[in-house]
């Protein structure tokens, strides 16, 4: 029998070349050239550290091969090769004669890595990677509205896209890629940038299937300026959808604790709208702690204030209110520690953290001290919650 080898690969049609995997790999097994990001088969030890950090899932590709694809092979690919037929990997042709090692490797390969985070058990099955860099969907802009007060330092916008009859199924919590037109200084076409959808699956307007995004203009941001300047009627190229873990449980009794800053509120808006449409009011069912500099800079401030507390218990916390001490989301968590401790004891609780990377540490520390105060180990509880798809963090 020919020896079968497992190989970790990256899908060049989906990868957005953000290089997060490369920065995460503890042994330097991932590298890139101007075209592709690739995995060195002689170095990769399948530690899986790169899997959960990839925003598109393009990292989660596996093949069983008789001989590894070289780095040069991978640098030259425009698309991934198909899995070789089993009988070409084994000298005894035929499925019956299949080498058990090959079978085990294939099973493992197709299982995916799983990563650390999991989807909630009752979440709907997401569609992923339907539209790629080479074959994107085209969406028409239906609206572009400023969410932050005119004159405030932050220009955050609500963008509504319509796929005009193309199938683009997207679940709350998923992201899509927007391709800014043109090319970079090296002459390569611009790559997509990812944005969380802020509308529920049946559309910004129910049953219209249109999709909204929450986008903050960054001073030198190529994509964010392109998107924030879009006018109704303009068209954009879209890839995705992406993401198969940061999803909403379908269980109507699930309780959500959502902690976010700035545009990290996008998936929380989608979750809230979906639950409002499907479950309706349920006291204690949804709590959100949302941090911004000031009310003028908090996206959806007006609509959020109007939501009944039986639907969503909202805590808006501000860091730059004149004459008031700075407050961060983790400070409010401490103020609300009693109700958070109660949520932590309920195995129907799902936690979502989204926004600035910097808040992750403070939020974790605060969960740790709240759990400790009621005699629970946060490290153990977090592992259980991750395992059960009940703890989700997406920061940038
Ligand atoms: P600040 O920038 O006043 O320190 P942004 O407006 O940049 O999107 O940030 C959203 C909010 O997150 C702001 O109120 C910002 O406060 C706050 N923030 C910044 N750093 C942290 C952190 N390490 N933990 C929690 N919140 C933070």
């Amino acid at each position: 029998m020919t020896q079968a080898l497992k190989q970790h690969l990256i899908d060049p049609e989906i990868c957005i070349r953000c290089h997060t995997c490369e920065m995460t790999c503890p042994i330097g097994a991932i590298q890139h050239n101007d075209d592709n990001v690739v995995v060195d088969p002689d170095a990769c030890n399948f530690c899986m550290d790169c899997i959960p950090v990839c925003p598109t899932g393009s990292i989660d590709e596996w093949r069983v091969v008789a001989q590894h694809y070289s780095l040069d092979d991978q640098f030259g690919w425009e698309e991934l090769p198909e899995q070789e037929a089993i009988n070409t990997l084994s000298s005894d042709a035929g499925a019956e004669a299949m080498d058990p090692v090959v079978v085990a490797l294939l099973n493992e390969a197709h299982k995916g890595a799983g990563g650390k985070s999991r989807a909630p058990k009752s979440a709907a099955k997401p569609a992923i990677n339907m539209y790629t860099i080479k074959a994107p969907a085209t969406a028409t802009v239906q609206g572009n509205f400023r969410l932050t007060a005119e004159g405030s330092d932050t220009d955050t916008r609500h963008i509504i896209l319509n796929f005009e009859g193309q199938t683009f199924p997207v679940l709350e919590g998923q992201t899509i890629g927007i391709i800014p037109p043109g090319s970079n200084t090296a002459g390569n076409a611009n790559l997509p940038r990812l944005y969380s959808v802020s509308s529920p699956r049946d559309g910004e307007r129910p049953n219209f299937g249109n999709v909204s995004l929450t986008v903050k203009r960054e001073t030198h941001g190529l994509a964010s300026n392109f998107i924030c300047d879009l006018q109704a009627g303009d068209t954009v190229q879209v890839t995705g959808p992406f993401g198969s873990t940061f999803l909403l449980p379908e269980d109507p009794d699930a309780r959500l604790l959502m902690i976010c800053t700035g545009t990290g509120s996008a998936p929380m808006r989608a979750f809230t709208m979906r639950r409002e449409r499907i479950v309706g009011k349920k006291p204690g069912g949804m709590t959100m702690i949302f941090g911004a500099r000031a009310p003028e800079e908090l996206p959806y401030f007006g609509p959020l204030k109007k939501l009944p507390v039986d639907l969503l218990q909202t805590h808006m916390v501000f860091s730059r209110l004149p004459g008031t001490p700075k407050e961060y989301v983790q400070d409010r968590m401490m103020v609300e520690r009693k109700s958070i401790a109660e949520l932590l004891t309920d195995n129907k609780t799902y936690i979502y953290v989204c926004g600035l990377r910097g808040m992750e540490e403070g939020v974790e520390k605060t969960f740790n001290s709240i759990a400790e105060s009621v005699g629970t180990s946060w490290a153990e509880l977090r592992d259980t919650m991750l395992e059960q798809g009940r703890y989700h963090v997406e920061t940038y």
Side-chain angles (χ1 to χ4, degrees), residues 241-253:
F242 304 114
S244 49
T245 58
F246 196 105
L247 298 171
L248 181 68
E250 295 294 299
D251 178 1
D253 292 328

Side-chain angles (χ1 to χ4, degrees), residues 42-109:
D42 295 327
C44 176
N45 61 5
F46 308 117
C47 73
M48 306 296 180
D49 283 6
C50 57
I51 305 296
V53 298
C54 172
T56 63
S58 57
I59 192 89
D60 203 0
E61 287 291 341
W62 310 88
R63 296 289 183 274
V64 177
V65 292
Q67 194 181 1
H68 281 139
Y69 295 108
S70 68
L71 290 173
D72 281 343
D73 290 336
Q74 298 177 59
F75 280 136
W77 285 341
E78 290 194 358
E79 58 188 49
L80 279 184
E82 293 290 324
Q83 171 63 53
E84 283 177 57
I86 298 300
N87 55 11
T88 64
L89 290 172
S90 153
S91 54
D92 296 329
E96 298 90 324
M98 212 185 284
D99 182 344
V101 176
V102 176
V103 177
L105 284 172
L106 265 179
N107 284 339
E108 208 188 321

Side-chain angles (χ1 to χ4, degrees), residues 216 261 291-293 319-320 326 328 330 356 358-359:
K216 177 179 170 184
T261 60
R293 297 173 191 187
S319 58
R320 301 192 197 181
K326 176 196 277 277
Y328 279 171
Q330 54 268 40
L356 287 181
M359 77 167 159

